[in-house]
C-alpha cells in the first residue's frame, strides 16, 4: 500500500499537532503556511485538562511547563492603578482566569513545529488557492503555481479559514460576539508586574500580561456599537486601527495612554473581530476542518488551544482506527462535537457584561469585582464550585495500540 498523504493548511497549533499524530500512524504530512516564517507572536494560551493529557502523550509536557509565562494570577485595577480584586493562579474559588499552564501561543507553536520539522514538509510563504476532488483524493493548486494530489486536506488555518471557504463555499459559520480584539507586544517598564492586570473603561478593556521574554503582551477589546458594521476590522490598515484605538481610549486612565503610545512602534499589531465558528459539518469528501477553522469557541472560553490539540489528536486517531477515511472523519466529528457545543455555551450576558460601555456600567462592574474578591465571597465560591472545568469533562480516547 502506498503511504497516505495529508496536506494541512496552517502552522500554528492544530496543524503541527495533527502532523505529529498522523506521522505516528504512518502518514506523510505537508504543512502549508501563508506567512513567510513561523509566527512567534501572540498572547497567552491555556493548556489544561484533556489538552494537557495530549501534550503529555506527545512527550512535550516538560517543555511546555518550562515555557510558562510566569503569570501570578489576575488583578482587576482601577483608573489610578489601585487593585480592586486579586485572583491568584490556582485560587480555590475558581475565579482566576490564569491557568496552571500558561504559555505564549508563539512559544507553543514553535515547540510543535520544532518537534515535527524532521518528519513534516513545511512550506512557508505559500497557500492553497484551489481544491478539486478527484475520486477519493483532492487535487490542490498552490499560489506558487504548482498542483499536487493528496489523500487528505485539512483546514487548520483559523477562524477566517480560506481553505474552509474553498471546500465548503460561503456557508455562514462565524458568529460575532460584538467585540474587536487587538493584540501586541510592548516593552516592559518599572510599573509592570508578574500579574495579569485588567482595566475596564467605557467602550472596552485594556490588559497587560507578562511573558517570559522580558516584554508585556497587550490585549485591548473594543465593544462594537449597536448597528456598527460587522467584520469591519478586516478592511482596516494598522494605522487606521491605531487611530480608532486612540479615539476610543485616550485619556481613559491607568496605563491607557502609555499603551497607546507604545502601539505606534510595534511590528506585531494584530486585530480582528471576536467570534465563534459554528460549522454545520466538519468534513466534505477528503477535506476536514480542525481547530478554530472547525469550532473556534472565542478567547472568552480560554479553551481554543485545548480544543485544537485534542481535536488534532482525535482526528488522527480516528483516521488510523478506521479503514475508510470517510468513516474516520465521521467518527472524529461524532466524538468531538458534543464537547465543542458544551464549551461554546457562554454564560448569559457574556462578553458584554464584562465590557460595559458607560461610566456607570464600569462603576457597577468594578463594585461587583471588589465584592467577588473578598475573602468571604471567594470562600463561598470555593465551596460551591463544581471543581471540574470543561477541559476536564472530556473522556480522552487512547489510540496507543494503533501506532
Amino acid at each position: 500500500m502506498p503511504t497516505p498523504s495529508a496536506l494541512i493548511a496552517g502552522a500554528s497549533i492544530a496543524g503541527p499537532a495533527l502532523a505529529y499524530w498522523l506521522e505516528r500512524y504512518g502518514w506523510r504530512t505537508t504543512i502549508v503556511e501563508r506567512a513567510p516564517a513561523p509566527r512567534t507572536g501572540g498572547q497567552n494560551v491555556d493548556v489544561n485538562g484533556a489538552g494537557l493529557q495530549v501534550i503529555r502523550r506527545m512527550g512535550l509536557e516538560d517543555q511546555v511547563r518550562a515555557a510558562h509565562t510566569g503569570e501570578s494570577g489576575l488583578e482587576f485595577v482601577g483608573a489610578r492603578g489601585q487593585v480592586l480584586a486579586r485572583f491568584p493562579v490556582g485560587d480555590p474559588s475558581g475565579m482566576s482566569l490564569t491557568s496552571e499552564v500558561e504559555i505564549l501561543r508563539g512559544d507553543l507553536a514553535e515547540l510543535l513545529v520544532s518537534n515535527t520539522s524532521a518528519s513534516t514538509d513545511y512550506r512557508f510563504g505559500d497557500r492553497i488557492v484551489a481544491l478539486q476532488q478527484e475520486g477519493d483524493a483532492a487535487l490542490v493548486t498552490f499560489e506558487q503555481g504548482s498542483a499536487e494530489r493528496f489523500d487528505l486536506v485539512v483546514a487548520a488555518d483559523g477562524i477566517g479559514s480560506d481553505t474552509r471557504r474553498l471546500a465548503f463555499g460561503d456557508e455562514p459559520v462565524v458568529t460575532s460576539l460584538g467585540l474587536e480584539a487587538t493584540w501586541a507586544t510592548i516593552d516592559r517598564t518599572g510599573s509592570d508586574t508578574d500579574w495579569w492586570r485588567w482595566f475596564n473603561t467605557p467602550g472596552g478593556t485594556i490588559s497587560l500580561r507578562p511573558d517570559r521574554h522580558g516584554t508585556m503582551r497587550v490585549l485591548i477589546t473594543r465593544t462594537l456599537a449597536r448597528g456598527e458594521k460587522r467584520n469591519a476590522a478586516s478592511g482596516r490598515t494598522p494605522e487606521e486601527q491605531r487611530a480608532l484605538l486612540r479615539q476610543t481610549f485616550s485619556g481613559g486612565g491607568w496605563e491607557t495612554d502609555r499603551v497607546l503610545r507604545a502601539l505606534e512602534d510595534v511590528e506585531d499589531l494584530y486585530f480582528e473581530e471576536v467570534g465563534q465558528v459554528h460549522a454545520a459539518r466538519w468534513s466534505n469528501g477528503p477535506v476536514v476542518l480542525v481547530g478554530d477553522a472547525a469550532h473556534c469557541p472565542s478567547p472568552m472560553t480560554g479553551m481554543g488551544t485545548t480544543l485544537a490539540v485534542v481535536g488534532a489528536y482525535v482526528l488522527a486517531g480516528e483516521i488510523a482506527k478506521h479503514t475508510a477515511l470517510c468513516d474516520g472523519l465521521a467518527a472524529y466529528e461524532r466524538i468531538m462535537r458534543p464537547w465543542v457545543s458544551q464549551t461554546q455555551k457562554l454564560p448569559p450576558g457574556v462578553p458584554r457584561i464584562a465590557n460595559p460601555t458607560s461610566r456607570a456600567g464600569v462603576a457597577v462592574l468594578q463594585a461587583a469585582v471588589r465584592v467577588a474578591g473578598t475573602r468571604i465571597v471567594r470562600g463561598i465560591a470555593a465551596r460551591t464550585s463544581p471543581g471540574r472545568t470543561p477541559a476536564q469533562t472530556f473522556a480522552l480516547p487512547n489510540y496507543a495500540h494503533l501506532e
Side-chain angles (χ1 to χ4, degrees), residues 67-346:
H68 193 282
T69 61
E71 186 172 283
S72 300
L74 171 64
E75 283 184 345
F76 288 90
V77 298
R80 301 185 307 278
Q82 73 275 26
V83 176
L84 305 177
R86 175 178 287 176
F87 303 99
V89 61
D91 192 288
S93 69
M95 291 190 283
S96 177
L97 300 182
T98 299
S99 173
E100 175 191 357
V101 181
E102 291 278 348
I103 182 173
L104 295 175
R105 186 214 62 82
D107 287 350
L108 179 56
E110 190 174 24
L111 275 176
L112 293 171
V113 169
S114 65
N115 278 273
T116 54
S117 57
S119 56
T120 297
D121 175 18
Y122 278 89
R123 303 180 186 179
F124 290 96
D126 203 354
R127 66 189 181 104
I128 302 170
V129 294
L131 284 171
Q132 180 180 342
Q133 187 168 344
E134 289 191 344
D136 294 332
L139 181 66
V140 179
T141 303
F142 295 95
E143 188 174 49
Q144 300 301 329
S146 62
E148 297 178 47
R149 188 176 184 276
F150 294 90
D151 297 300
L152 174 69
V153 176
V154 183
D157 45 350
I159 184 174
S161 170
D162 288 333
T163 311
R164 181 182 64 219
R165 178 181 53 80
L166 291 172
F168 294 83
D170 293 323
E171 295 181 6
V173 298
V174 180
T175 302
S176 172
L177 294 182
L179 294 177
E180 283 181 2
T182 302
W183 295 269
T185 306
I186 66 173
D187 291 337
R188 182 165 180 147
T189 69
S191 65
D192 293 317
T193 71
D194 287 336
W195 288 80
W196 171 8
R197 293 184 295 161
W198 174 309
F199 174 63
N200 278 92
T201 187
T205 68
I206 298 178
S207 290
L208 286 173
R209 305 186 73 172
D211 63 27
R212 67 189 186 99
H213 303 293
T215 51
M216 300 297 292
R217 305 294 165 133
V218 174
L219 168 59
I220 300 176
T221 63
R222 185 180 73 86
T223 306
L224 301 181
R226 297 192 184 279
E228 184 174 349
K229 183 180 178 182
R230 294 302 187 254
N231 203 31
S234 62
R236 278 188 222 117
T237 66
E239 291 71 24
E240 290 171 335
Q241 184 69 9
R242 291 182 176 100
L244 179 59
L245 293 177
R246 288 194 301 270
Q247 177 185 339
T248 305
F249 295 105
S250 288
W254 185 55
E255 302 268 358
T256 298
D257 290 339
R258 167 235 171 161
V259 168
L260 294 175
R261 288 193 300 270
L263 293 185
E264 295 298 319
D265 299 320
V266 300
E267 297 181 357
D268 65 342
L269 188 75
Y270 178 75
F271 49 95
E272 68 179 9
E273 190 162 335
V274 177
Q276 292 185 330
V277 171
H278 298 275
R281 49 184 177 148
W282 293 355
S283 63
N284 182 17
V287 183
V288 66
L289 311 176
V290 71
D292 280 354
H295 46 61
C296 176
S298 88
M300 308 302 158
T301 66
M303 284 287 291
T305 300
T306 290
L307 287 177
V309 296
V310 173
Y313 171 81
V314 172
L315 173 58
E318 291 302 318
I319 288 174
K321 184 177 177 180
H322 290 81
T323 302
L325 177 64
C326 61
D327 292 337
L329 302 186
Y332 150 70
E333 182 168 350
R334 185 172 62 251
I335 291 169
M336 287 291 297
R337 189 177 279 278
W339 184 43
V340 167
S341 298
Q342 173 196 358
T343 302
Q344 288 183 320
K345 292 179 181 177
L346 300 175

Side-chain angles (χ1 to χ4, degrees), residues 26-50:
W27 282 65
R28 175 172 58 84
T29 55
T30 300
I31 292 183
V32 61
E33 167 59 56
R34 66 188 305 171
R39 299 182 181 185
T40 58
Q43 289 288 313
N44 297 40
V45 296
D46 303 339
V47 186
N48 50 64

